[in-house]
């Protein structure tokens, strides 16, 4: 008799989700699904609003990466205005984006994933949390707090506030940078970089311990999608789309982000409010790809900053050849990106033109359609708007990083469940690994909720007849 | 400022969503305090939510006053209570934290916990509204300000005598504001 295991809610992620494992007669996993159980409808209720409200409105989809939404939205507005923003305005936008990446990656690594990495997947769930980490390695926990503080302080210094800054505006940024603020931010970078390097060096010592998890945590072949710079370097703000296959062959390159619809289709399933984007030429669901830190590092030829390039070379040594396949190594990639972000922020802040007063281009809307694409911490973020003659929004499409990874997350939990879950002897540590593979992707479900459709909402264990015979609930 | 606080650092944190009706009362009261000017050594910040890095700020201060909206009480009721660390006040998510969990972080990591108070006002509507409160919540602003002023007032009795220190788990032990 087959059974279904339910893990609900999935813990230490952003948002609410459920995982269902369908077991067969012999207790083997027959199917695994990741359900996003919240519906928010942002795309619909933005209709009718003036396009200039979109950065503020869409930033409210998320308290974690509002800066990413603000940037993608303002870039869509830049497109509507048909302006090129002043170079200093662009550099300042890049800095706030990298500060956002730093604090977000720090949260994912230090606070959400370190309990598993430090205490072990099978440790007592009562103490497998941030307090367990604090007791075991207080210095690491303090580093996590400080790194987040540095990222958030830079966001606040530039944006005026940490959570929903309004400093980025269509056409650039609203205020130029003062020397005093520049110097204050620059002072933070060396300490941040030391923490990032120290954590990276520590994590490298942990990686060999997780060989088994690395083999089974979403190591299935997929394509990888990200932005790259015109030189093929790491790029988080602008650039072009690049898509590589699992063997590392470049299938699409230097595609202007405005042409994303040629590459990306979106499918809907009845068990989740999150859509299932796919690479159109390969169809659904074969067009599975991953985005985010792992994809970005797999896709680039170089990071472009000194220490991050050394770390990138070491990242590629995790595997004999080809793109790094295991989603477990999202953790590794995040740490490399934190180093990159700090190095790049320092470079930008030291740029002699960073204090220039001209930071904003002004215009009225000159197009009916605008597309803005940027790399959020979790992956590529796309905002696409249509407006009428009055500048009112008539249609919105948002493709969120977590959405891009939806197919891969579903495939990954199936792989982990196949490897670790024994339906005849269900152990908490098995189910924790199923959750943990989702945490590798660091999903942010708050803004990934879009799909319409009827959804049976509830890790459930179901028998062959579909009867729920076991449920794991936490939180 | 409270004699006991002379030369010591105070941090006031107003938090809540500015677009969810009466939930904005924490940031609004913080903004009012900021506008009227605070004595030396008193810092005021507004936050949408409480996040992990605030721990580093908390341990740098001797007294912390959180300002928040509440849902468990009569609309408009203003309460002040002391807070203690509580590691069990954890969220399954990580982008917002309970003030008691933040204090538990301070205790576990830094072995130092600031004397902490929560001044709250019960709201009545939490639907969309951008920094606009219901009249009931609006009327609670002044009593909240009054509590904060007393907690940082040089001439007032030691503020710890005014509220009943409670374990954070004893959420029902709260002191309603007395008219001055």
């Amino acid at each position: 008799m087959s059974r279904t295991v339910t893990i609900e809610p999935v813990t230490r992620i952003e948002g609410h989700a459920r995982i269902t494992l369908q077991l067969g007669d012999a207790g083997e996993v027959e199917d695994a699904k990741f359900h996003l159980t919240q519906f928010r409808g942002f795309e619909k209720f933005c209709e009718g609003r003036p396009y200039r409200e979109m950065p503020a409105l869409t930033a409210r989809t998320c308290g974690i990466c509002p800066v990413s939404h603000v940037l993608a939205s303002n870039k869509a507005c830049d497109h509507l205005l048909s302006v090129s923003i002043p170079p200093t305005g662009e550099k300042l936008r890049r800095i706030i984006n990298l500060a956002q990446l730093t604090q977000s990656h720090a949260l994912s690594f230090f606070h959400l994933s370190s309990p598993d990495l430090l205490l072990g997947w099978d440790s007592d769930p009562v103490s497998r949390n941030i307090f367990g980490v604090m007791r075991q390695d207080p210095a690491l926990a303090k580093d996590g707090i400080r790194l987040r503080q540095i990222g958030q302080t830079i966001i606040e210094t530039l944006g005026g506030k940490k959570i929903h800054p309004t400093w980025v505006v269509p056409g650039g940024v609203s205020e130029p940078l003062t020397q005093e603020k520049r110097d204050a931010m620059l002072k933070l970078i060396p300490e941040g970089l030391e923490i990032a390097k120290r954590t990276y060096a520590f994590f490298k010592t942990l990686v060999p311990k997780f060989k088994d998890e690395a083999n089974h945590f979403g190591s299935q072949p997929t394509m990888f999608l990200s932005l790259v710079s015109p030189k093929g370097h790491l790029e988080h703000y602008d650039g072009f789309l690049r898509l590589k296959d699992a063997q590392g062959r470049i299938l699409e390159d230097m595609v202007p982000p405005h042409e994303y619809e040629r590459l990306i289709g979106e499918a809907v399933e009845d068990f989740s409010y999150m859509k299932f984007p796919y690479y159109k030429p390969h169809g659904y669901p074969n067009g599975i790809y991953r985005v985010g830190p792992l994809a970005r590092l797999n896709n680039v030829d170089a990071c472009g900053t000194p220490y991050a390039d050394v770390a990138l070379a070491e990242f590629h040594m995790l595997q004999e050849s080809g793109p790094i396949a295991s989603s477990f190594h999202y953790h590794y990639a995040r740490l490399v990106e934190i180093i990159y972000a700090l190095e790049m922020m320092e470079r930008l802040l030291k740029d002699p033109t960073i204090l220039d007063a001209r930071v904003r281009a002004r215009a009225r809307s000159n197009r009916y359609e605008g597309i803005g694409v940027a790399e959020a911490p979790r992956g590529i973020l796309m905002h696409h708007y249509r407006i009428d003659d009055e500048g009112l929004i008539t249609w919105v499409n948002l493709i969120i990083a977590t959405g891009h990874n939806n197919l891969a997350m579903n495939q990954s939990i199936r792989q982990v469940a196949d490897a670790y879950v024994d339906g005849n002897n269900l152990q908490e540590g098995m189910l924790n690994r199923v959750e943990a593979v989702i945490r590798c992707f660091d999903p942010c479900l708050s803004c990934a909720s879009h799909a319409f459709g009827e959804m049976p909402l509830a890790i459930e264990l179901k028998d062959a007849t579909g009867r729920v015979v076991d449920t794991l609930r936490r939180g | 400022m409270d004699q006991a606080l002379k030369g010591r650092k105070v941090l006031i944190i107003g938090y809540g969503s500015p677009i969810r009706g009466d939930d904005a009362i924490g940031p609004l009261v913080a903004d009012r305090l900021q506008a009227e000017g605070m004595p030396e050594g008193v810092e005021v910040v507004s936050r949408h939510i409480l996040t992990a890095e605030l721990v580093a700020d908390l341990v740098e201060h001797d007294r912390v006053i959180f300002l928040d909206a509440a849902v468990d009480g009569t609309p408009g009721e203003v309460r002040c209570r002391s807070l203690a660390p509580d590691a069990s006040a954890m969220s399954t998510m990580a982008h917002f934290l309970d003030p008691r969990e933040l204090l538990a972080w301070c205790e576990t990591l830094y072995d130092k916990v600031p004397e902490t108070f929560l001044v709250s006002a019960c709201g009545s509507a939490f639907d969309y509204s951008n920094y606009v409160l219901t009249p009931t919540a609006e009327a609670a602003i002044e009593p909240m300000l009054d509590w904060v002023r007393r907690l940082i007032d040089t001439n007032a009795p030691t503020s710890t005598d005014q509220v009943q220190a409670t374990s954070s788990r004893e959420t029902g032990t709260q002191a309603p504001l007395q008219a001055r």
Side-chain angles (χ1 to χ4, degrees), chain A residues 1 4 14 22 24 39 52 64 69 77 109 112 114 146 155 203 227-228 283 341 354 376 389 410-411 418 456 462:
Chain A
M1 192 167 65
T4 299
E14 301 302 341
Q22 176 81 43
F39 173 71
R52 285 186 179 274
I64 282 291
H69 281 288
C77 292
F109 181 81
L112 305 184
S114 68
R146 182 62 179 146
I155 291 171
F203 185 67
L227 291 174
V228 293
I354 201 69
D389 286 325
N410 275 275
Q411 197 179 78
D418 281 342
K462 289 183 181 172

Side-chain angles (χ1 to χ4, degrees), chain A residues 19 22 32 95 127 170 208 217 236 246 253 343 375 389 434 468:
Chain A
I19 294 170
Q22 176 81 43
I95 296 170
S127 55
F217 272 33
H236 294 91
D253 204 12
E343 288 185 312
E375 286 282 356
D389 286 325
V434 175
V468 177

Side-chain angles (χ1 to χ4, degrees), chain A residues 3-8 10 17-23 29-35 37 271 410 413-414 417 431 434 456-463 466-468 470-471:
Chain A
R3 298 177 294 155
T4 299
V5 180
T6 302
I7 299 175
E8 183 184 24
V10 179
R18 184 184 60 180
I19 294 170
T20 309
L21 306 179
Q22 176 81 43
L23 303 180
V29 175
E30 281 192 338
D31 195 11
K33 288 190 174 76
F34 179 67
H35 312 258
T37 59
F271 62 84
N410 275 275
I413 57 170
R414 172 65 195 269
L431 301 180
V434 175
L457 293 179
I459 270 172
E460 284 179 347
L461 189 61
K462 289 183 181 172
D463 64 19
R467 189 169 62 95
V468 177
D470 203 353
T471 300

Side-chain angles (χ1 to χ4, degrees), chain B residues 87-122:
Chain B
S88 69
M90 288 175 63
S91 164
T92 55
M93 292 190 284
H95 68 273
F96 61 88
L97 298 167
D98 186 288
R100 297 164 299 170
E101 186 186 355
L102 288 176
L103 296 180
W105 287 44
C106 295
E107 185 176 50
T108 308
L109 267 185
Y110 300 93
D111 200 24
K112 180 184 174 192
V113 179
E115 183 185 27
T116 305
F117 299 90
L118 171 66
V119 178
S120 64
C122 286

Side-chain angles (χ1 to χ4, degrees), chain A residues 34-350:
Chain A
F34 179 67
H35 312 258
L36 175 51
T37 59
Q38 58 190 13
F39 173 71
R40 303 185 74 200
F42 264 87
E43 287 156 320
K44 204 64 191 168
F45 67 65
C46 287
E47 290 177 7
R49 307 306 306 172
Y51 72 90
R52 285 186 179 274
E53 287 186 3
M54 289 303 283
L57 277 173
T58 54
R60 261 63 187 183
T61 52
C62 187
I64 282 291
C65 38
V67 172
S68 305
H69 281 288
V70 161
L71 285 169
S73 183
N74 275 294
K75 288 184 74 179
C77 292
D78 297 341
H79 195 202
L80 289 169
L81 304 182
S82 304
V83 294
S84 296
I85 70 169
T88 299
E90 182 187 313
K91 287 171 193 160
L92 290 167
R93 284 182 175 189
R94 284 178 179 276
I95 296 170
I96 200 169
N97 197 31
L98 293 168
Q100 158 78 9
L101 181 136
T102 301
Q103 67 85 14
S104 178
H105 280 4
L107 181 77
S108 173
F109 181 81
F110 289 95
H111 301 142
L112 305 184
S113 296
S114 68
D116 293 326
L117 300 172
L118 219 61
L119 307 171
W121 318 98
D122 301 304
S123 60
D124 182 354
V126 172
S127 55
R128 194 178 55 222
N129 52 44
I130 189 65
F131 289 100
V133 172
M134 289 179 200
R135 283 188 285 271
Q136 173 130 340
D137 193 340
L140 182 84
K142 285 179 183 172
D143 277 353
I145 289 170
R146 182 62 179 146
L147 204 49
R148 261 187 72 79
Q149 193 183 33
I150 289 171
Q152 293 282 45
T153 301
I154 294 175
I155 291 171
E156 190 172 46
T157 303
L158 289 171
K161 52 182 181 173
K162 290 179 187 176
I163 307 290
H164 289 299
T166 52
W167 167 73
V168 184
V169 293
V173 297
S174 60
E175 295 286 337
L177 182 63
T178 64
Q179 185 167 342
E180 185 187 9
K181 285 184 175 179
R182 190 268 303 269
D183 294 346
M185 289 188 285
L186 265 176
K187 272 187 186 165
L188 298 170
I189 304 285
E191 184 189 357
L193 201 48
E194 277 311 304
I195 292 172
K197 289 178 182 175
R198 183 160 65 229
T199 309
Y200 172 68
F202 167 70
F203 185 67
K204 282 196 294 183
T205 66
L206 288 183
V207 170
K209 296 178 186 169
F210 298 115
K211 194 173 178 185
D212 195 60
E213 279 78 11
N215 285 337
H216 296 102
F217 272 33
S219 60
Q220 67 281 354
T222 71
M223 293 171 280
F224 297 97
L225 176 70
S226 72
L227 291 174
V228 293
S229 76
K231 289 180 178 175
H233 289 185
L234 191 56
E235 173 62 62
H236 294 91
Y237 172 77
D238 209 1
F240 299 93
L241 297 169
R242 175 179 278 182
L243 186 90
K244 272 187 182 177
D245 69 10
Q247 287 72 43
R249 292 177 294 233
I250 295 176
L251 303 182
E252 305 278 356
D253 204 12
M254 298 302 149
V255 177
H258 301 154
E259 296 178 19
Y260 83 91
E261 286 177 300
R262 184 167 64 74
L263 272 54
I264 308 299
E266 293 181 275
V268 175
E269 295 282 5
D270 65 3
F271 62 84
S272 180
Y273 281 123
M274 185 159 46
K275 287 180 182 174
F276 290 78
Y278 61 96
Y279 177 50
K280 270 185 183 171
H282 287 192
Y284 180 79
N286 293 334
I288 180 173
Y289 60 88
R290 281 176 279 179
V291 299
L294 186 78
R296 289 192 286 257
L297 293 197
N298 273 331
N299 276 0
V300 297
D301 307 320
C303 289
T305 61
Y307 199 89
D309 271 331
V310 172
L312 179 66
E314 292 174 336
F315 169 78
H316 283 297
M317 291 163 67
L318 290 167
Q319 202 174 288
E320 281 189 11
S321 63
I324 304 303
S326 176
S327 294
F328 179 79
H329 294 312
Y330 267 100
H331 299 305
Y332 198 113
R334 257 176 224 115
L335 295 176
V336 177
E337 283 203 323
I338 291 175
I339 292 170
Y340 166 82
L342 290 157
E343 288 185 312
M344 185 53 83
M345 280 192 283
E346 186 171 44
R347 181 183 295 176
L348 289 164
L349 286 167
K350 286 181 174 174

